Amino acid sequence: MSTRQPWPEGSRETAEALHRLLTIDNRDWHALKGQPQRRAAEQIAAALVQLLDPANPAHAPVPTAQREQAIALLEHGLGWLRGELKDPGCPSHGH
């Protein structure tokens, strides 16, 4: 691994594939929206994609927008894991 490429080859693509796999799409939203671990996994995978973004160099001395977004996504995922976040329901359906 060189200093120009801080992550193993294919890391970003693998993270993106994992995020696509874990994303709760419109078709599955009502069935999965109340599963805290599923919601957390979706957010944590999104954070990993941000962390591995080439615009977020691993050696950057100050936080990048991608790093800040990764932190926010991780905190959101932790909120689901800790039970601090709950499904707010669907305003258009009343549940």
Side-chain angles (χ1 to χ4, degrees):
M1 192 174 331
S2 72
T3 56
R4 297 191 77 200
Q5 185 174 344
W7 309 112
E9 188 173 328
S11 296
R12 168 77 185 219
E13 294 79 9
T14 302
E16 289 172 345
L18 177 62
H19 182 248
R20 281 191 303 275
L21 182 65
L22 296 175
T23 295
I24 300 173
D25 62 20
N26 290 337
R27 184 185 68 233
D28 296 324
W29 177 252
H30 285 288
L32 301 174
K33 66 182 178 164
Q35 296 182 15
Q37 290 189 62
R38 182 67 188 260
R39 300 291 302 274
E42 179 183 32
Q43 297 297 298
I44 292 167
L48 185 57
V49 170
Q50 291 296 314
L51 185 64
L52 297 173
D53 189 316
N56 177 40
H59 60 282
V62 296
T64 62
Q66 292 80 3
R67 194 177 313 173
E68 293 294 331
Q69 182 65 24
I71 291 167
L73 288 162
L74 283 171
E75 288 173 349
H76 197 250
L78 287 172
W80 280 103
L81 285 176
R82 292 181 181 129
E84 298 165 352
L85 296 175
K86 304 273 187 233
D87 171 46
C90 182
S92 65
H93 291 91
H95 53 80

